[in-house]
Amino acid sequence: MNPEALLSMRDPLGAPIHPLPIQILLVVTYVLHIFFVTAAIGSLAVGLYGLSRSEENWKRLAQVAVRLATQATGLGITMGIAPLLFVQVIYDPAWYAATTVMGLWTTLFIPAVALGYLFLYILYLRGNIAGVGYVSLLLLLLAGWIMHNLSSFGLYPSRWVEWYAPGGVPDTRGVAFHGYNLPRFGALLFGQAALSLGVMLLLFAWYFRRREDVPQAFLAFVESQARGALRLGSILFGLLGAVWAFSQGAELGMALPVLIVTLAVAATFFLHSQKASSERALSTLGLYGLALLAVGILREGMRTAALGRMGYGVLQYPFVWDWGSILYFVATALAAVPVIVYLAQVIYASGLKKEGADPAPSVERFGDLGVRLLVGWFIFYFALGLYVLARTF
């Protein structure tokens, strides 16, 4: 693969907007996606461990963790759509080359996620069938491994032809994995899974601390497990991150940035784990959000540097201002955000008491605004479609 061939693989129509906003949105949406994905993996692992224990606190935590894993998996799938779409817009040569060369695994990704979620939901409904939980965990890990390979493939454009046609003979089976790095996979999945689990458990203890029907002894147990998860996660992330830095990082000329970011995150949460508490859960969440953002920027920096060696600059990606797409995106955001915030406020209020609680009048007014905006979005959607259709004829 030479630079001319790589550049020729870009979409001839270009991006619908300047590539910089797309790149920023790619990083931000990746942070949301990976938080829920790793929270799901960590929660499911703890839930399965808790099912094997006989202590009352562990049994109760297992129920909480399995329910959390179910919800986090759904959110992780939903949040994963946005960064995938942004990747396909500005990194289409890398993405489509990867999905072609590893075609079999690309095809199996959706079934693996769907079956993993199905088995997880069975575990959530039945509560005591650990076997389906282990199958779910294996399928979700397989999906993560596939996506890791599809992402890492794009870091090595100079090897694409070799991987597609080893020895000059095209291999169209799509069965081989390419570009993977085990330390990176371990740090970004298992290390962050423990950190995400610790954050979520602290949030759980913080949220239920005022509920009289939730034993304080159980919340103290959850808090102690959260500190242990943060400590374990920081150690895994630091050790695996260091190996990642001196393997793939060194290969791409990014050893120092990878080492600095991973060790900084690891040290921060190892020290923070000593004083983490349910009262400071929101601060821990904010700190973790910054850590995930730093890792997201690091990943994007590695991709930019790797493709930049071949003359592929994201900011030089051709684009044409597509105002219809831009207006549609903005209108969707304006309509969706108030609705999501309203639903989050209702969910928050409903769990403050055992018997539930009605949202405040201000929350109800916010919900009315969200409904009006949603109706306006539907009107805008059909109006824009009719306008485009009229211009076609």
Side-chain angles (χ1 to χ4, degrees):
M1 178 65 66
N2 55 55
E4 293 75 18
L6 180 61
L7 294 176
S8 68
M9 293 172 66
R10 297 179 301 185
D11 186 350
L13 296 179
I17 192 175
H18 190 279
L20 181 58
I22 298 177
Q23 191 174 33
I24 293 173
L25 288 170
L26 169 59
V27 173
V28 172
T29 53
Y30 164 80
V31 168
L32 295 173
H33 165 65
I34 201 64
F35 173 64
F36 289 116
V37 166
T38 52
I41 297 298
S43 300
L44 180 54
V46 166
L48 292 173
Y49 176 75
L51 290 175
S52 68
R53 299 289 295 267
S54 58
E55 297 88 340
E56 185 62 30
N57 280 338
W58 272 112
K59 288 183 178 179
R60 189 162 189 168
L61 179 57
Q63 295 176 347
V64 170
V66 169
R67 184 168 186 174
L68 173 60
T70 306
Q71 305 303 327
T73 301
L75 288 169
I77 294 171
T78 304
M79 293 296 178
I81 296 172
L84 179 58
L85 291 177
F86 293 135
V87 163
Q88 293 181 52
V89 173
I90 57 176
Y91 292 113
D92 46 329
W95 178 253
Y96 292 120
T99 54
T100 299
V101 175
M102 292 180 282
L104 174 65
W105 298 109
T106 304
T107 305
L108 292 178
F109 175 77
I110 296 298
V113 172
L115 287 174
Y117 193 32
L118 174 63
F119 284 119
L120 178 56
Y121 212 82
I122 293 173
L123 176 64
Y124 164 65
L125 293 175
R126 297 297 299 272
N128 58 353
I129 309 179
V132 297
Y134 285 107
V135 174
S136 173
L137 181 60
L138 289 175
L139 286 170
L140 294 177
L141 289 176
L142 172 61
W145 175 249
I146 293 172
M147 192 54 64
H148 163 74
N149 280 268
L150 292 176
S151 177
S152 293
F153 182 96
L155 301 178
Y156 305 97
S158 61
R159 302 182 189 176
W160 292 354
V161 174
E162 172 193 345
W163 287 338
Y164 170 69
V169 180
D171 182 0
T172 59
R173 296 173 301 165
V175 297
F177 289 114
H178 299 289
Y180 59 84
N181 182 269
L182 289 175
R184 170 179 171 149
F185 178 71
L188 297 185
L189 187 64
F190 298 115
Q192 288 184 169
L195 292 174
S196 297
L197 172 66
V199 172
M200 295 298 283
L201 291 181
L202 284 178
L203 289 171
F204 176 87
W206 167 79
Y207 181 72
F208 287 102
R209 71 193 189 283
R210 290 174 291 183
R211 285 271 295 263
E212 296 179 356
D213 59 312
V214 180
Q216 293 300 311
F218 173 66
L219 293 181
F221 172 76
V222 171
E223 191 174 299
S224 67
Q225 297 305 314
R227 285 193 289 268
L230 290 175
R231 193 158 44 247
L232 174 63
S234 64
I235 294 173
L236 287 176
F237 192 77
L239 292 177
L240 292 171
V243 181
W244 173 26
F246 292 111
S247 54
Q248 187 182 64
E251 188 176 3
L252 299 176
M254 295 281 290
L256 187 58
V258 174
L259 188 64
I260 290 175
V261 171
T262 53
L263 291 185
V265 171
T268 297
F269 280 94
F270 185 82
L271 296 174
H272 184 74
S273 66
Q274 314 301 322
K275 54 184 179 181
S277 64
S278 58
E279 289 77 12
R280 304 177 62 181
L282 294 181
S283 298
T284 303
L285 175 63
L287 183 64
Y288 189 50
L290 292 175
L292 288 178
L293 183 60
V295 175
I297 293 173
L298 173 66
R299 289 178 71 256
E300 186 63 15
M302 292 185 71
R303 180 157 42 195
T304 301
L307 293 174
R309 292 181 175 182
M310 299 288 289
Y312 189 99
V314 174
L315 297 184
Q316 284 74 51
Y317 197 98
F319 70 95
V320 177
W321 293 100
D322 186 346
W323 292 108
S325 298
I326 296 171
L327 287 173
Y328 179 71
F329 182 86
V330 172
T332 302
L334 291 176
V337 170
V339 174
I340 294 173
V341 172
Y342 168 69
L343 292 175
Q345 289 177 308
V346 171
I347 294 171
Y348 177 82
S350 65
L352 290 176
K353 298 179 181 179
K354 183 179 181 180
E355 62 278 7
D358 294 328
S362 59
V363 176
E364 292 291 352
R365 288 194 295 270
F366 197 82
D368 292 339
L369 172 63
V371 172
R372 293 190 184 96
L373 289 173
L374 197 58
V375 172
W377 179 86
F378 276 108
I379 295 174
F380 167 79
Y381 175 79
F382 285 107
L384 181 62
L386 291 173
Y387 171 74
V388 173
L389 185 63
R391 288 190 59 186
T392 304
F393 292 101

